[in-house]
Amino acid sequence: MNLLDIILLAVALAMDCFTVSIVSGVICTKESGVRSQEKVGCLRMAFLFGFFQALMPLIGWLGISHFQSYMEAYDHWIAFALLAFIGGKMIWESFGPEEEQHFNPRRLRTQLLLAIATSIDALAVGISLACTGYERLSQLTLPLVIIGVVSFLFSIVGYQLGARFGHSIARRLKPELFGGVILLGIGIKILVTHIFS
């Protein structure tokens, strides 16, 4: 993957964080609270989202990198299948009904659970990175940093948009659809590049 692919992948992974941050911003503005507490809660949530989005691909990569030599003939198919599955799932969910969730996004425990839940898909991305030529941890540093930083920034922006514009923004942007299309596109590019190279 080139730098543009990594950035697009990071954006796709950040879409769940973005969506949850919008909802969190909407909920926090409905409740009365101290403005400084909102800023601290927003930054903490963004940090946790970025941290787990970067950690999960590392865990996925560590789990599969030891078996890479056995999978070289099929690695591009595996990467495509994983990215297509995640992207397809995100696209499918973008057309589902909106469900109101009652949670307190200011609580640390809630933020941890949300950070883990929104980063589970990134495990498969770590596996796909192992299958696309990332053999050493040093090669993985830049993609992980980009994924973490993009998720952090998207979380802050999402929270601010949610706080400012409310529920209508999430319906208009369809962030899961956008992220799913990006993941599918990267998966197809990986497959086509390996088949015709």
Side-chain angles (χ1 to χ4, degrees), residues 3 17 36 43 49 73 99 105 112 132 157 170 174 176:
L3 182 60
C17 300
S36 62
L43 287 174
F49 281 5
E99 296 176 8
L112 278 169
T132 55
V157 170
K174 287 246 187 213
E176 295 92 351

Side-chain angles (χ1 to χ4, degrees), residues 7 27 49 83 89 107 122 147 150 155 194:
I7 292 170
I27 291 171
F49 281 5
L83 290 169
K89 181 173 170 262
R107 293 177 59 197
I147 288 168
V150 169
S155 299
H194 280 275

Side-chain angles (χ1 to χ4, degrees), residues 25-42:
V26 170
I27 291 171
C28 285
T29 54
K30 284 181 179 178
E31 303 167 2
S32 59
V34 181
R35 201 73 164 146
S36 62
Q37 288 177 346
E38 281 186 34
K39 288 180 182 176
V40 169
C42 173

Side-chain angles (χ1 to χ4, degrees), residues 157-180:
V157 170
Y159 188 93
Q160 296 303 321
L161 286 173
R164 190 169 183 126
F165 299 110
H167 291 290
S168 62
I169 191 101
R171 286 193 296 270
R172 289 183 189 163
L173 285 181
K174 287 246 187 213
E176 295 92 351
L177 176 62
F178 182 63

Side-chain angles (χ1 to χ4, degrees), residues 191-197:
L191 186 62
V192 169
T193 302
H194 280 275
I195 288 175
F196 294 107
S197 63

Side-chain angles (χ1 to χ4, degrees), residues 69-191:
S69 60
Y70 302 108
M71 299 170 52
E72 286 177 358
Y74 306 103
D75 59 357
H76 51 283
W77 288 103
I78 293 168
F80 168 74
L82 289 170
L83 290 169
F85 173 75
I86 297 167
K89 181 173 170 262
M90 288 174 75
I91 291 169
W92 177 265
E93 288 174 357
S94 74
F95 292 105
E98 280 187 40
E99 296 176 8
E100 282 194 14
Q101 297 183 356
H102 301 287
F103 64 96
N104 182 356
R106 289 187 180 129
R107 293 177 59 197
L108 176 60
R109 189 174 79 177
T110 301
Q111 290 178 350
L112 278 169
L113 289 173
L114 290 172
I116 293 168
T118 56
S119 64
I120 293 294
D121 289 346
L123 279 170
V125 170
I127 295 169
S128 70
L129 288 172
C131 295
T132 55
Y134 289 85
E135 299 171 357
R136 295 185 307 276
L137 189 57
S138 60
Q139 293 175 304
L140 207 59
T141 304
L142 181 63
L144 294 181
V145 168
I146 290 173
I147 288 168
V149 168
V150 169
S151 292
F152 175 80
L153 294 175
F154 269 57
S155 299
I156 290 176
V157 170
Y159 188 93
Q160 296 303 321
L161 286 173
R164 190 169 183 126
F165 299 110
H167 291 290
S168 62
I169 191 101
R171 286 193 296 270
R172 289 183 189 163
L173 285 181
K174 287 246 187 213
E176 295 92 351
L177 176 62
F178 182 63
V181 169
I182 289 173
L183 286 178
L184 275 175
I186 292 171
I188 290 168
K189 181 180 181 275
I190 288 169
L191 186 62

